[in-house]
Amino acid sequence: MSAVRPDPRTARTRARLGRALLEECAERPLAEVSVAALVRRAGVGRATFYLHYTDLEALAVDACADIVREAVDALHAWRGTPDPVNPPPALTAFFEDIAPHAALYRELLRPGGSGPLGLVLHQDLRARSRTERALAGAPEPDLVASAVAATFAGVLADWLHGLVEATPAEIAHRVWRLLVNLHRTPLP
């Protein structure tokens, strides 16, 4: 039985729409972006847009979810015993890369980590953290995975909304120390 391969045309079209959305949102808030302007910038037809997405928020969540998955990878970009002080370089790079698109992320990720992008981030990070803890035989994989996901999503959202003041490098260090300590917390 062979795996179904994704259609490369679909991937290219979604990537074009995602890039166009990021470019549009660099100029105006998501609420002011029109499908007409977006498809014109992407060089696709309106029907093509609706073939792939129900609305602009669905496209925004999809486009930003790739960056969210980069965050999940960044948090797990180490092997062996993690350095408790210095985050993986990929985590710092994640915060630096997301800063230019902060306005879009603020629309999708509300303070505290809720919102459509917060849900995707929480689910992906919780699943990855739980799997890694279970494979390592660490105690309470469900509890710690939930705590890690909630902490990261909440701090990321609050940083994007200006509730936590820090440069990208500073927030990467702070988040890393929090998460390392969550993993170290003795549990009964």
Side-chain angles (χ1 to χ4, degrees), residues 27-186:
E27 298 172 7
R28 66 190 55 81
L30 179 61
E32 294 177 16
V33 173
S34 70
V35 172
L38 178 80
V39 297
R40 189 170 35 255
R41 186 180 290 255
V44 301
R46 191 176 187 94
T48 300
F49 171 83
Y50 286 110
L51 178 65
H52 296 280
Y53 299 102
T54 57
D55 57 22
L56 286 171
E57 186 177 277
L59 167 59
V61 170
D62 187 47
C64 294
D66 287 339
I67 295 170
V68 163
R69 288 180 182 92
E70 289 175 20
V72 172
D73 290 342
L75 286 171
H76 295 89
W78 54 271
R79 289 293 163 246
T81 304
D83 180 339
V85 177
N86 298 305
L91 184 60
T92 302
F94 164 75
F95 281 102
E96 290 168 349
D97 292 346
I98 200 173
H101 304 290
L104 175 59
Y105 285 89
R106 280 192 297 271
E107 291 189 49
L108 302 171
L109 189 62
R110 294 179 187 82
S114 65
L117 190 58
L119 178 62
V120 172
L121 176 58
H122 190 274
Q123 288 172 339
D124 286 1
L125 185 52
R126 185 182 186 288
R128 178 83 171 264
S129 183
R130 190 209 177 287
T131 298
E132 291 199 5
R133 280 190 72 80
L135 287 173
E140 298 283 355
D142 290 320
L143 178 67
V144 174
S146 290
V148 165
T151 298
F152 185 79
V155 172
L156 172 61
D158 288 356
W159 176 70
L160 287 168
H161 284 276
L163 300 173
V164 175
E165 292 188 27
T167 66
E170 290 168 342
I171 198 67
H173 275 84
R174 291 176 186 174
V175 164
W176 182 248
R177 287 192 312 265
L178 279 171
L179 298 178
V180 166
N181 284 321
L182 277 173
H183 281 282
R184 287 184 174 169
T185 302

